[in-house]
Amino acid sequence: MITNRAQVKYSLMLTYFLFAILLNSVGTVILQVINSYGVSKEAASVLEGFKDLPIALVSFMFAAYLPRFGYRNAMLLGTLLVTGSCLLMPLIPEFWMTKLLFFCVGSAFGLVKVSLYSTVGLISDNKQQHASVMNTIEGIFMLGVLSGYWLFGAFIDGQDPTSSDWLKVYWCLALLAGLNAMLLWRTPFANPVPAQGGKPADEFLAMLRLTYKPLVLVFILSAFLYVLIEQGLGTWLPTFNNQVLHLPADMSVQATSIFAACLAIGRLGAGVLMQRINWYLLLNICLVAMALLVLVSMPLANLAQPQPDMSWTSAPLAAFVFPLIGLFMAPIYPAINSIMLSSLPTSQHSGMTGLIVIFSALGGTTGSLITGFVFGSFSGQTAFYLSLLPISAILISLFYFRQGTLAVSRA
């Protein structure tokens, strides 16, 4: 059993903070490889796949085995993997190395997220506490995303977009990852043997059998669509700021931090709101507000004009208005994850988390590829307008998800 819950919680938060920076740097890196390596938008969009598909693959193959391997051991292994890949990035300034980096980050996160989500169930005594811890950890994740934009922005040369100085940021990230590995090594907690006590193959099949439940299927669809929106918008927002709103490269990345800050504020505040407002009502309000912001922001983006000395005071209004979508997007993902996991026994959390990670990763890759293709073939505005379709689809899927959770609670 886990004896020092506070220490474990802090270790989980710091690990998630590190991976937040690495995972969500893909939008910044897409902009930089386009500028530094001369890569096309369509070619650069595959970086999301190099990040997300290994997440899905590793989660699918190993989620059911992690309780036996050890959650801490899995997180430690993942952290050491990204430490090594960060050290190689500035030493090998090539596009293929960037692909390898995100492949390693994705593979490591497949281990880390399943382990982390499963550990939350072990340090929580009830559904309310589980939701609180989940929202706090997801809020810390968004603070990591926010920090990452400013960290990368500090190393980007706004006057010379082709400069490779931005690669020096990986020395800092390698140091942070190494320190995080040391913290995990010194955090003592054991993992209970799965309650069913069966063979690893049986646990893997048990994970697959979860997909036969109608509630799980509706949840998976909702999670897939949400991540499709978040990654499609978040990954391409730096490029949108640079090429549509005409912000300098460093400022384009830093302006994206408004989006991350809104996500962080929204997730940290979601736990308080959900104590006062029914989750289904709150999420529907959020989805409608997201659609309205898209409809308001894109016409404003059409008004943006290039300026020789762009500054924060002269930046287009759309650069500040559109990122507010993060406030309303924020509560959706942790809320549905917590509701789904709380509806299952603790012994099934590892398998369910594996499914969450798999379909979230597939949603992220799909969203980035579609947005990149539409951005390159048509325009950034058209690509972002396209988010209205999955927003509408989530409204429908959440209705059936609510019906399913009510049926489970009555059973």
Side-chain angles (χ1 to χ4, degrees), residues 212-223:
Y212 287 99
K213 296 184 177 183
L215 175 62
V216 173
L217 288 174
V218 175
F219 162 76
I220 286 172
L221 176 61
S222 302

Side-chain angles (χ1 to χ4, degrees), residues 26 30-31 33-34 39-52 95 99 235-236 364-376:
V26 66
I30 282 176
L31 173 61
V33 298
I34 289 172
V39 177
S40 69
K41 294 183 182 69
E42 291 81 359
S45 69
V46 303
L47 290 180
E48 189 79 48
F50 273 89
K51 172 176 70 75
D52 287 337
F95 185 46
K99 296 177 182 178
T235 297
W236 287 96
T365 299
T366 304
S368 181
L369 289 174
I370 291 174
T371 305
F373 174 79
V374 177
F375 200 131

Side-chain angles (χ1 to χ4, degrees), residues 125-160:
D125 295 324
N126 52 55
K127 290 186 178 182
Q128 186 175 3
Q129 191 177 75
H130 190 285
S132 175
V133 174
M134 188 72 77
N135 272 288
T136 300
I137 289 176
E138 289 290 348
I140 293 297
F141 185 88
M142 294 319 306
L143 289 177
V145 176
L146 172 62
S147 302
Y149 287 125
W150 286 92
L151 179 62
F152 272 83
F155 286 86
I156 293 173
D157 188 345
Q159 304 304 315
D160 181 13

